């Protein structure tokens, strides 16, 4: 019989549309078709999710790169010229620490994107991401939490980003494992 995407076989669909009880056991071909459809759909979902979260990390990487470049090229503001994040940091004398925190955040975001894409399964990628994620809180910590709200993201962004990447990787890996376990749940049609 012919496969219908996501619904088993055409015979099952016809039985459902006629009101026939479909609670009968599925034969081995129907089971195989259902498991294969679930596997294909889970692989598609995993691929799309991983690419989406990697893209989010890449956009964040571009933003932090732009912030670092603007910090490096910005002229010191005079009195009364506004109190943006960089102006506060310069006044507090923390510009070198902020630049180092940006660099750590950039390294962590790159590692997080690799982890999301399944290219970060090596220990060094996760280790580098962890070390880089610890940098901003250690470099900035209390200084930036006492600062205006606009600077609070600096010590918090890298650890949260790494946690998100590790969660996405673990969730997609778990999904693939659960789909692979479906094969073990199949039964012999003639044995039922």
């Amino acid at each position: 019989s012919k496969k219908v995407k996501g619904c088993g076989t055409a015979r099952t669909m016809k039985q459902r549309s006629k009101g026939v009880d479909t609670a009968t056991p599925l034969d081995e071909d129907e089971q195989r078709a259902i498991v294969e459809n679930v596997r294909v759909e889970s692989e598609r979902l995993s691929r799309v999710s991983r690419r989406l979260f990697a893209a989010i990390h890449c956009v964040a990487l571009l933003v932090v790169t732009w912030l670092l470049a603007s910090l490096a090229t910005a002229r010191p503001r005079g009195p009364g010229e506004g109190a943006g994040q960089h102006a506060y940091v310069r006044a507090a004398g923390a510009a070198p620490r902020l630049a180092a925190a940006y660099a750590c955040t950039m390294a962590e975001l790159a590692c997080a994107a690799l982890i999301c894409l399944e290219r970060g399964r090596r220990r060094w990628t996760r280790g580098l991401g962890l070390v880089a994620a610890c940098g901003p809180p250690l470099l900035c910590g209390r200084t930036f939490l006492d600062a205006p709200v606009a600077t609070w993201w600096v010590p918090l962004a890298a650890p949260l980003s790494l946690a998100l990447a590790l969660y996405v990787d673990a969730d997609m890996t778990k999904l693939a494992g659960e789909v692979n376990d479906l094969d073990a749940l199949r039964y012999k049609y003639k044995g039922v």
Side-chain angles (χ1 to χ4, degrees), residues 45-147:
L45 175 68
S46 178
R47 190 173 47 254
V48 168
S49 297
R50 286 180 179 281
R51 287 179 182 168
L52 174 69
F53 282 102
I56 290 169
H57 282 93
C58 288
V59 168
L61 176 63
L62 291 174
V63 169
V64 175
T65 303
W66 177 79
L67 287 170
L68 180 60
S70 70
L71 176 67
T73 60
R75 64 175 175 79
R77 295 176 184 239
E81 282 190 51
Q85 176 178 326
H86 292 166
Y88 170 79
V89 168
R90 287 188 192 285
R97 285 189 292 157
L98 180 62
Y102 282 166
C104 288
T105 302
M106 291 166 52
E108 182 282 324
L109 287 168
C111 290
L114 290 173
I115 289 168
C116 285
L117 289 173
E118 279 189 299
R119 288 169 175 75
R121 291 213 177 256
R122 295 189 182 108
R123 287 185 188 159
W124 69 267
T125 306
R126 290 171 185 253
L128 178 62
L130 181 61
V131 169
C134 291
L138 294 174
L139 289 166
C140 302
R142 186 109 176 113
T143 303
F144 284 81
L145 293 178
D146 290 338

Side-chain angles (χ1 to χ4, degrees), residues 1-23:
S1 62
K2 191 167 103 180
K3 283 197 315 187
V4 176
K5 184 175 180 172
C7 297
T9 63
R11 182 183 74 174
T12 307
M13 289 300 294
K14 287 178 188 174
Q15 289 174 344
R16 286 184 186 156
S17 66
K18 292 179 183 177
V20 175
D21 180 21
T22 59

